[in-house]
């Protein structure tokens, strides 16, 4: 995790969306030289209030690989394409958040050098980790059957957990040779 940034502003106004577009155009310096850019960007359209604005933002940025998503609980694939309604040319993806969050919990328990361990920038503050650990897995009975659910802890904000969940889902859309990329 290189960074966790928050943009403040009115999502109904153009300024915030322009700031987001600018942020996503930015290239980050790599410690070994060169720069990093965003390979894929997923933007959550699921709150119901900003859905159309997210669709509009993503649709004109398809060439930049910026897509709309919606997270869903349950036993679902990590990422599944879903066609858009109303003659849209873009695609929305459904993210099976429970599976990804389970992978995150498993990865957080690994030693730093282990395969699938998550490495964190030293610039991330305490609030980031509080948000990252804002949910726990619980087994509850639904119609007499055990179902695993993620439950919020103490009304904590979970933006960091959501961002990591969607970041890992975005990785499913990236098709590149990791060895060549590492050498580059």
């Amino acid at each position: 995790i290189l960074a966790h940034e928050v943009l403040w502003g009115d999502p109904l106004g153009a300024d915030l969306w322009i700031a987001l577009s600018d942020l996503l155009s930015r290239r980050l310096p790599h410690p070994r030289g060169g720069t990093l850019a965003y390979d894929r960007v997923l933007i959550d359209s699921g709150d119901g209030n900003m859905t159309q604005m997210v669709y509009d933002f993503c649709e004109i940025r398809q060439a930049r690989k910026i897509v709309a998503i919606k997270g869903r609980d349950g036993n679902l694939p990590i990422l599944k394409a879903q066609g858009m309604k109303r003659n849209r040319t873009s695609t929305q993806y459904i993210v099976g958040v429970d599976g990804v969050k389970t992978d995150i919990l498993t990865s957080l328990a690994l030693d730093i050098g282990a395969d699938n361990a998550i490495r964190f920038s030293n610039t991330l503050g305490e609030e980031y980790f509080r948000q990252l650990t804002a949910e726990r897995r619980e087994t509850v009975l639904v119609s007499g059957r055990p179902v695993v659910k993620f439950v919020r802890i103490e009304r904590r904000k979970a933006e960091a957990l959501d961002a990591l969940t969607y970041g890992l889902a975005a990785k499913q859309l990236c098709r590149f040779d990791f060895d060549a990329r590492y050498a580059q």
Side-chain angles (χ1 to χ4, degrees):
I1 311 303
L2 299 176
H4 179 80
E5 299 182 52
V6 177
L7 296 177
W8 297 98
D10 178 5
L12 296 174
D15 291 345
L16 185 64
W17 294 98
I18 291 168
L20 177 59
S21 184
D22 290 346
L23 178 95
L24 298 175
S25 297
R26 184 177 65 181
R27 297 185 68 86
L28 304 168
H30 191 280
R32 292 189 174 133
T35 58
L36 299 172
Y38 294 95
D39 286 302
R40 288 289 182 157
V41 175
L42 306 185
I43 300 180
D44 191 352
S45 66
D47 77 348
N49 296 317
M50 300 296 137
T51 302
Q52 192 59 51
M53 294 189 82
V54 171
Y55 290 168
D56 293 345
F57 181 86
C58 294
E59 187 167 27
I60 62 174
R61 290 169 179 81
Q62 288 181 78
R64 291 174 53 193
K65 300 177 182 173
I66 298 172
V67 297
I69 58 98
K70 175 155 181 48
R72 287 223 177 109
D73 299 336
N75 187 16
L76 300 171
I78 292 174
L79 203 61
K80 182 178 179 184
Q82 175 177 305
M84 302 286 279
K85 296 177 182 176
R86 289 190 231 141
N87 299 322
R88 293 284 179 192
T89 59
S90 59
T91 300
Q92 175 177 308
Y93 289 87
I94 301 300
V95 176
V97 296
D98 288 353
V100 182
K101 288 178 182 179
T102 299
D103 289 346
I104 291 169
L105 286 178
T106 303
S107 296
L108 290 175
L110 298 174
D111 290 332
I112 291 174
D115 288 345
N116 298 322
I118 300 173
R119 294 178 293 165
F120 298 95
S121 167
N122 62 2
T123 63
L124 299 170
E126 182 179 327
E127 179 60 19
Y128 175 84
F129 293 100
R130 184 170 169 73
Q131 290 183 22
L132 184 63
T133 58
E135 294 181 3
R136 68 174 168 260
R137 280 178 47 139
E138 288 185 1
T139 302
V140 297
L141 292 177
V142 176
S143 300
R145 296 176 37 209
V147 175
V148 175
K149 292 192 167 280
F150 281 84
V151 179
R152 189 72 54 93
I153 300 170
E154 302 169 2
R155 297 185 186 184
R156 291 187 206 176
K157 292 181 180 179
E159 285 96 354
L161 177 59
D162 292 345
L164 179 54
T165 299
Y166 297 148
L168 291 173
K171 188 176 170 184
Q172 300 295 309
L173 294 173
C174 296
R175 302 288 181 245
F176 48 78
D177 180 339
F178 283 100
D179 293 330
R181 182 101 169 198
Y182 182 78
Q184 180 185 20

